[in-house]
């Protein structure tokens, strides 16, 4: 039976392993071929560190092994675990049996021993999971996903799956990918000469969802606390280090909850998953702390330890105007904040995560609850250093008349939202929720600069390779 390397290197007390026989399997990271020994650093992805295997000439087919045990090849080794004389690991293996499972020509293997740029690694996204960085990102991403489920489950939230194909634009920003089975070269046309979408697969125009929120609200308004965690799609043409065309979002939705409850949930959520990843992914986090962003562990610890600042959008505008800084984009009440503004607030002015609330109603989505002042809505964005906006949420407009009027005001057809309106007609309740961009969270934790490096196969304008 095969043992994962994590079970050998990750145990508290290595003495229990000494002298016992195990079989390990993995990919060769490095190999030192000496006359009497072959030293291999093996990695199977279960843990950050490599496992050292020593193959002696007494092992069957030693000469062949010496040729085929190359960087990138996959192999199986069986042998005795011994205490390692080296500094870098507690135990290593003396192989009594070794087999190369899949050859790899070291002359052309794209992952050479040198350090590769992230740009280059994006062009070999099928091989980059074998690198230190992408292995660590994958494990951290996994830990964050698992911690996300645990956080909401412990609070009694139900995990619901909302549709990926939808007829409604949640954010109303028109940044949707259309889903169609019509022949693009010869679509059916109406008498008026426009494409006849009644002939399409769903007999109407459909799109990939930009957010599961609206469907999430229907379940919250019946089951109290729910969350989704799924893929979302945005056809926005943003070539930035913080935007993807396909990304994952965590969206809790809570009935009988106002904006304060929402903020409490968001802050607790971030702190919970950070705490979790710092304890469950120690080796990976030490790697990021040393090689990707020096000091990132301390940065995250601080986020766990200090309360988030909570200020209104209006206050933030005043802070920005008084900052004496020249920003590229104008700062004026009524205009949306740009990432440079958000980062100034979180990194320089407050020096910690900030929850901005009560944005002008005109720059936010139709579903947000109108405040008494007639100018702002019960919105909240969580802004963090390095990233800017990581969470966007709000209290939802639960008053029938107001939401109906708002749809009209925002130019959205109320017929398309008939079911959404009915939530306000039958047993309406105050409710709130938010969306956390999962890749932005992974970026925040790992310190990686580009969002394209925290998702296995990034989708962005002009790129859907792999
Ligand atoms: O602020 P957004 O657009 O909010 C919503 O979609 C709400 N319906 C959420 C809700 O209340 N249930 O998006 C939420 C978060 C952002 O704060 C950001 O972290 C992330 O999703 N996000 C993106 N991440 C990567 N690439 C993109 N193009 C993103 N757009 C938004
Ligand atoms: Mg937003």
């Amino acid at each position: 039976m095969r043992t994962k390397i994590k079970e050998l290197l990750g145990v508290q007390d290595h003495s229990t392993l000494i002298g016992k026989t195990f079989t390990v399997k993995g990919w060769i990271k490095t190999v030192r071929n000496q006359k009497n020994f072959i030293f291999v650093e093996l990695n199977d992805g279960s843990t950050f560190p490599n496992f050292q295997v020593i193959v002696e000439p007494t092992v069957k087919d030693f000469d062949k092994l010496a040729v085929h045990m190359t960087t990138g090849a996959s192999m199986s080794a069986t042998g005795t675990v011994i205490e390692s004389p080296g500094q870098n690991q507690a135990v290593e293996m003396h192989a009594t049996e070794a087999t190369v499972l899949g050859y790899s020509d070291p002359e052309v293997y794209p992952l050479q021993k040198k350090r590769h740029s992230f740009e280059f690694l994006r062009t070999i996204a099928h091989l980059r999971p074998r690198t230190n960085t992408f292995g660590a990102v994958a494990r951290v991403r996994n830990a964050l996903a698992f911690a996300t489920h645990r956080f909401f489950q412990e609070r009694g939230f139900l995990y619901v799956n909302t549709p990926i194909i939808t007829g409604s634009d949640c954010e109303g920003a028109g940044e949707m990918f259309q889903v169609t089975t019509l022949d693009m070269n010869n679509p059916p046309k109406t008498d008026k000469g426009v494409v006849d979408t009644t002939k399409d697969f769903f007999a109407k125009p459909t799109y990939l969802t930009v957010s599961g929120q609206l469907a999430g609200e229907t379940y919250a308004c019946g089951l109290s606390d729910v969350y989704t965690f799924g893929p979302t799609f945005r056809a926005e043409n943003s070539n930035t280090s913080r935007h993807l065309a396909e990304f994952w979002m965590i969206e809790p939705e809570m009935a009988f909850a106002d904006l304060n409850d929402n903020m409490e949930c968001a802050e607790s959520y971030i702190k919970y998953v950070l705490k979790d990843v710092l304890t469950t992914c120690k080796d990976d986090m030490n790697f990021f702390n040393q090689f990707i962003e020096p000091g990132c562990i301390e940065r995250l610890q601080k986020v766990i330890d200090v309360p988030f600042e909570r200020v209104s959008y209006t206050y933030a505008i005043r802070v920005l105007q008084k900052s004496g800084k020249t920003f590229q984009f104008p700062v004026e009440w009524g205009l949306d904040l740009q990432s440079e503004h958000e980062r100034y607030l979180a990194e320089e002015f407050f020096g910690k995560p900030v929850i901005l609330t009560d944005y002008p109603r005109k720059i936010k989505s139709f579903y947000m609850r109108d405040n008494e002042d007639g100018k702002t809505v019960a919105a909240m964005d969580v802004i963090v250093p390095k990233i800017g906006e990581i969470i966007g949420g709000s209290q939802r407009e639960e008053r029938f008349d107001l939401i109906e009027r708002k749809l009209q005001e925002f130019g959205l057809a109320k017929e398309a939202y008939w079911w959404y309106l009915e939530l306000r007609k039958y047993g309406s309740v105050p409710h709130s929720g938010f969306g956390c961009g999962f890749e932005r969270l992974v970026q925040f934790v790992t310190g990686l600069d580009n969002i394209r490096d925290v998702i296995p196969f990034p989708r962005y304008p002009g790129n859907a390779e792999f």
Side-chain angles (χ1 to χ4, degrees), residues 171 211 213 234 236 244 247 251 367 389-390 392 396 435 437:
E171 293 306 303
S211 159
Q213 179 196 323
R234 301 215 178 160
E236 52 188 333
L244 289 166
F247 63 99
E251 295 186 273
Y367 52 71
E389 179 190 340
I390 195 164
R396 318 307 188 190

Side-chain angles (χ1 to χ4, degrees), residues 148-159:
T148 294
H149 282 293
R150 220 168 31 237
F151 173 81
F152 288 111
Q153 294 293 329
E154 282 172 8
R155 289 192 164 211
F157 283 60
L158 295 184
Y159 174 45

Side-chain angles (χ1 to χ4, degrees), residues 8 44 48 76 99 116 122 129 151 162 182 213 232-233 270 279 291 347 366 378 384 396 412 414 441-442 446:
L8 299 176
D44 66 4
F48 187 87
S76 165
T99 321
H116 296 288
R122 257 170 247 148
F151 173 81
T162 50
L182 295 180
Q213 179 196 323
T232 46
F233 309 85
I270 295 284
T279 50
F291 294 103
E347 286 164 21
F366 73 93
V384 294
R396 318 307 188 190
L412 300 165
K414 75 176 186 197
L441 178 65
V442 182
T446 58

Side-chain angles (χ1 to χ4, degrees), residues 120-334:
F120 169 71
L121 290 173
R122 257 170 247 148
T123 67
I124 52 164
H126 59 304
L127 292 174
R128 65 178 187 171
R130 298 189 194 179
T131 63
N132 284 339
T133 305
F134 289 89
V137 169
R139 284 182 296 271
V140 162
R141 195 181 156 105
N142 168 70
L144 287 169
F146 196 44
T148 294
H149 282 293
R150 220 168 31 237
F151 173 81
F152 288 111
Q153 294 293 329
E154 282 172 8
R155 289 192 164 211
F157 283 60
L158 295 184
Y159 174 45
V160 300
N161 303 110
T162 50
I164 307 235
I165 300 174
T166 171
S168 40
D169 181 0
C170 174
E171 293 306 303
E175 292 168 336
M176 302 194 294
F177 290 101
Q178 191 159 359
V179 176
T180 179
T181 52
L182 295 180
D183 180 357
M184 301 272 278
N185 292 314
N186 186 24
K189 299 263 176 78
T190 63
D191 299 343
K192 290 190 181 130
V194 296
V195 175
D196 184 0
T197 50
T198 63
K199 301 265 163 47
D200 205 345
F201 190 91
F202 297 105
K204 65 184 232 175
T206 50
Y207 309 90
L208 294 178
T209 185
V210 296
S211 159
Q213 179 196 323
L214 303 188
E217 281 185 57
T218 68
Y219 269 65
C221 293
L223 296 162
S224 291
D225 295 337
V226 301
Y227 69 105
T228 70
F229 184 0
T232 46
F233 309 85
R234 301 215 178 160
E236 52 188 333
N237 204 2
S238 325
N239 263 305
T240 82
S241 60
R242 276 182 296 278
H243 288 87
L244 289 166
E246 176 180 295
F247 63 99
W248 287 66
M249 207 182 342
I250 295 124
E251 295 186 273
E253 194 68 35
M254 296 163 278
F256 314 103
D258 63 14
L259 198 66
N260 281 319
D261 300 316
N262 211 16
M263 288 193 279
E264 187 282 323
C265 185
E267 182 169 345
S268 301
Y269 166 69
I270 295 284
K271 290 182 168 169
Y272 182 99
V273 296
L274 295 189
K275 234 184 261 174
D276 184 278
V277 81
L278 287 180
T279 50
T280 57
C281 295
K282 281 213 165 75
D283 288 335
D284 297 313
M285 290 310 302
N286 284 335
F287 168 77
F288 292 123
N289 198 44
Q290 205 178 341
F291 294 103
I292 300 293
E293 186 208 333
C296 78
I297 292 182
E298 198 186 318
R299 172 174 63 79
L300 297 174
Q301 192 57 52
K302 205 174 142 208
V303 173
I304 296 169
D305 293 340
V306 302
F308 293 5
E309 194 70 38
R310 297 180 185 191
V311 297
S312 70
Y313 163 92
T314 303
Y315 183 87
I317 290 290
R318 276 207 299 272
V319 167
L320 290 165
Q321 284 172 336
K322 286 191 180 159
S323 68
K325 298 250 312 183
T326 14
F327 295 107
Q328 196 191 338
F329 291 92
V331 177
E332 199 185 303
W333 200 98

